Amino acid sequence: MKSKLTGKNVLITAGAQGIGEAITKHFIDSGANVAIHYFSSVETADQLTEYAIRKGQKAIAIGGDLTKEADANALVEKAVEAFGGLDTLINNAGSLVARKMLNEMEAEFWHRVMDINLTSMMFVTRAAAPYLAKNDNSSIVNLASLAGRKGGHPGSLVYSTSKGAILTFTRALASELGPQGTRVNAVAPGLILGTSFHNTHTTQESAENTIAGIPIQRAGNADDVARAVLYLASEYDGFITGATLDINGGVYNI
């Protein structure tokens, strides 16, 4: 895989925390140049940038609120300016924000979560697509979720809906961008412990109950997801597109 990624130019949204940080680290270790988007994790973004540069690779940390169209466009432009092109886009940014049931749902909250998880992904992908098209082979990997398959736990109605939409967004993009040489796939992680997401939104009791129903009897970790993302991204001349790889220990499969 390293030979396929060496020298490739990769943009990772929310690439300095949780699963995104692991993804960035794996790309760096595989020889890629990385543009690391961050919203608040500037220190980690800078550390990852320094790590890549020490290994002789190009790296840049770029802040921005991707729910703002101008910030999303600027992110892509800065990445391309730094590297001279773009081979891969990893759409990792997203959040549950808070748990709210239908009977306490405000329109503002609904739109906020949709914008963070879905609209931002569209903005960045739209900006990146013309640059990806300049390569004979390029790739996009979108971060969905097991919640998009099953509906999630109580209080994750908006999050689950947005992640389910990402599954369809991925299939539609694969069809639309295939002729330009861009493959588009997704990963759908299940319970991934050790990240700020689950540290914030998942109780220990809920995690234990979920783990009890996982056939391999453990939760996932960020590296489990990162390895899958790298595989899908690295098969530049591959035949996999429009697919979603489920990473959940076998608790859900179709």
Side-chain angles (χ1 to χ4, degrees), residues 201-212:
H201 301 295
T202 303
T203 65
Q204 182 176 349
E205 180 182 7
S206 176
E208 290 173 353
N209 289 338
T210 299
I211 292 169

Side-chain angles (χ1 to χ4, degrees), residues 136-182:
D136 291 335
N137 298 290
S138 54
S139 63
I140 299 172
V141 182
N142 299 324
L143 271 289
S145 171
L146 176 60
R149 297 285 205 192
K150 294 184 67 177
H153 292 286
S156 63
L157 174 64
V158 193
Y159 176 81
S160 300
T161 301
S162 67
K163 291 298 186 176
I166 289 170
L167 301 177
T168 302
F169 181 74
T170 298
R171 292 191 295 269
L173 272 180
S175 177
E176 185 170 325
L177 300 185
Q180 74 172 38
T182 303

Side-chain angles (χ1 to χ4, degrees), residues 67 95-120 151 155-165:
T67 66
S95 177
L96 187 145
V97 180
R99 292 195 182 276
K100 287 182 181 286
M101 305 293 282
L102 178 63
N103 63 2
E104 55 188 354
M105 187 67 61
E106 310 97 346
E108 180 181 2
F109 181 80
W110 175 274
H111 289 298
R112 181 185 175 195
V113 177
M114 283 292 186
D115 283 347
I116 290 171
N117 294 333
L118 189 60
T119 308
S120 66
S156 63
L157 174 64
V158 193
Y159 176 81
S160 300
T161 301
S162 67
K163 291 298 186 176

